[in-house]
């Protein structure tokens, strides 16, 4: 059986991101996912949700049917 792989073009957190420090975050997702690295991506709580900000992924790990991404928030969207 092949390895399932999903291509993602935005970061959807579902509120599960962990702050590492300052604007740096870690997010674990089920299954193997491929993300563009070192380019601006939209960050949302859900696929249909509002854009929370723009981030760049600087590290991606695949292990045990999980993907862990490490990203830096570059800008936040105003909620007003």
């Amino acid at each position: 059986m092949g390895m399932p792989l999903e291509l993602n073009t935005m970061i959807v957190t579902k509120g599960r991101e962990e702050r590492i420090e300052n604007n740096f975050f870690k997010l674990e997702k089920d299954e193997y996912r491929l993300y563009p690295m070192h380019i601006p991506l939209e960050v949302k709580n859900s696929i249909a949700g509002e854009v929370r900000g723009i981030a760049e992924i600087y590290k991606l790990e695949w292990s045990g049917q999980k993907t862990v991404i490490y990203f830096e928030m570059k800008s936040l969207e105003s909620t007003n």
Side-chain angles (χ1 to χ4, degrees), residues 3 6 8 10 13 16 22 27 31 34-35 43-44 46 48 52-53 61 67 71-72 75 79:
M3 177 179 81
E6 182 177 307
N8 290 225
M10 70 180 81
T13 65
R16 296 191 345 226
N22 300 325
L27 177 65
E31 300 181 354
L34 186 60
Y35 289 85
V43 178
K44 298 181 174 188
S46 65
R52 288 182 34 216
E61 297 175 336
T67 300
F71 61 94
E72 179 183 4
S75 67
T79 56

Side-chain angles (χ1 to χ4, degrees), residues 6 10-11 14-15 17 19 23 44-45 49 53 60-61 64-65 69 75:
E6 182 177 307
M10 70 180 81
I11 300 170
K14 298 183 181 171
E17 70 276 22
R19 184 184 299 271
N23 294 330
K44 298 181 174 188
N45 273 336
L60 182 144
E61 297 175 336
Q65 300 293 320
I69 59 171
S75 67

